[in-house]
Amino acid sequence: MTFAAAVTERTRHLKTRLCVGLDPRLGAYRDVDHLRGHTLDVLEVTAPLAACVKPQLAFFEALGLSGFALLEEVCAAARLLGLPVILDGKRGDIGSTAEAYARGWLSGAHAGDALTVNPFLGFGTLSPFVETARGNGGAIFVLVKTSNPDQADLQGQGVSERVAVEVARLGEQDEEGEYAGVGAVVGATHPQDLALFRALMPRALLLLPGLGAQGGTAAELAPAFHPGGTGALASASRAVGYADGLDVAASREAARRLRDELNAALG
């Protein structure tokens, strides 16, 4: 089953559109072992409430070799729990370097089922990621309009719309399935733009980061979804993983609350 099919099936079966982000910050822990235990505990308790999980590669890379080992452990644990994995790496480069990134993060032991990808070196640089994802039944999420305030420096004035059109074009090459293997990142912090991007990319899964700590609210996200509540995944990281310090029970309850708020927003 492809990533798009698996995450959509899980959305329908468990009635959840929540993507749980894992951003393990070393400064919050006694040591790497403490970080490891808490990260795996958060993953386990939130899994029944989530459509997918999104490890942020930067926080694992910052730990060096132990971080890569933990990432492999997280991916393996997620798969045992039935959770599709989106690696949030925002990778993008030219030629053989893009091919290496694609191989590294979309195939192999520490690979995800999907990867976030930066298109701003040119649309041709997306090809290795698209091809590798398709060859492994995976997906990519192309940055279209990100959740941070500074995105307006480069993503305004029609640029995001141009990227969205390219995402839709690439997705048209996926002839089978309800949703294409080329999705888009559109920040939950831009609710006024969601209907536009939903219309520009009708078969793309939309990843909506910024729920919670960055100010995105579930009540405003309905325009990103198709009837029936599919087609988008709302991501929360700090608002779940550090809902009340390192209290794992609080993380579970935060995930439950966000899942329920998203469901309520969709009627």
Side-chain angles (χ1 to χ4, degrees), residues 90-136:
K90 301 178 179 68
R91 293 302 194 262
D93 216 310
I94 61 172
S96 59
T97 308
E99 292 171 4
Y101 275 139
R103 283 196 311 273
W105 296 118
L106 288 166
S107 65
H110 55 266
D113 304 298
L115 175 70
T116 59
V117 176
N118 188 333
F120 291 102
L121 273 75
F123 293 151
T125 65
L126 298 177
S127 296
F129 297 101
V130 174
E131 292 167 6
T132 304
R134 284 187 178 136
N136 290 282

Side-chain angles (χ1 to χ4, degrees), residues 6 18 39-40 84 90-91 104-105 119 143 153 160 179 183 186-187 189 194-195 202 209 222-223 230 241 261 267:
L18 178 65
T39 300
L40 291 171
K90 301 178 179 68
R91 293 302 194 262
W105 296 118
L143 304 184
D153 294 343
S160 293
Y179 291 102
V186 179
T189 52
L194 295 178
T230 61
E261 288 177 358

Side-chain angles (χ1 to χ4, degrees), residues 20-253:
V20 171
L22 297 177
D23 297 7
R25 300 160 187 264
L26 183 57
Y29 303 94
R30 294 187 302 271
D31 51 33
V32 173
D33 286 340
H34 188 203
L35 178 153
R36 173 188 173 275
H38 180 256
T39 300
L40 291 171
D41 286 346
V42 169
L43 174 63
E44 183 175 3
V45 301
T46 60
L49 304 163
C52 59
V53 63
K54 183 174 70 65
Q56 167 52 257
L57 290 183
F59 292 98
F60 293 88
E61 291 170 343
L63 300 174
L65 291 178
S66 61
F68 284 98
L70 175 58
L71 180 62
E72 290 187 9
E73 195 172 358
V74 165
C75 290
R79 292 188 179 106
L80 284 175
L81 293 165
L83 273 176
V85 178
I86 303 172
L87 293 182
D88 193 356
K90 301 178 179 68
R91 293 302 194 262
D93 216 310
I94 61 172
S96 59
T97 308
E99 292 171 4
Y101 275 139
R103 283 196 311 273
W105 296 118
L106 288 166
S107 65
H110 55 266
D113 304 298
L115 175 70
T116 59
V117 176
N118 188 333
F120 291 102
L121 273 75
F123 293 151
T125 65
L126 298 177
S127 296
F129 297 101
V130 174
E131 292 167 6
T132 304
R134 284 187 178 136
N136 290 282
I140 63 170
F141 286 89
V142 180
L143 304 184
V144 170
K145 191 171 180 68
T146 55
S147 56
N148 58 305
D150 292 340
Q151 57 79 32
D153 294 343
L154 296 175
Q155 296 172 26
Q157 302 180 18
V159 173
S160 293
E161 290 81 357
R162 185 177 175 188
V163 178
V165 169
E166 178 64 11
V167 167
R169 188 191 71 80
L170 291 170
E172 289 171 359
Q173 299 170 16
D174 292 331
E175 297 179 359
E176 298 182 2
E178 184 176 3
Y179 291 102
V182 182
V185 176
V186 179
T189 52
H190 308 297
Q192 71 281 2
D193 297 323
L194 295 178
L196 168 64
F197 289 117
R198 177 74 284 166
L200 287 173
M201 300 175 285
R203 291 190 62 227
L205 288 172
L206 303 184
L207 178 61
L208 314 173
L211 187 62
Q214 291 188 57
T217 62
E220 298 180 300
L221 301 184
F225 293 84
H226 283 133
T230 61
L233 302 159
S235 179
S237 301
R238 282 171 288 172
V240 173
Y242 301 105
D244 184 9
L246 301 181
D247 186 337
V248 174
S251 293
R252 180 181 61 242
E253 290 311 306

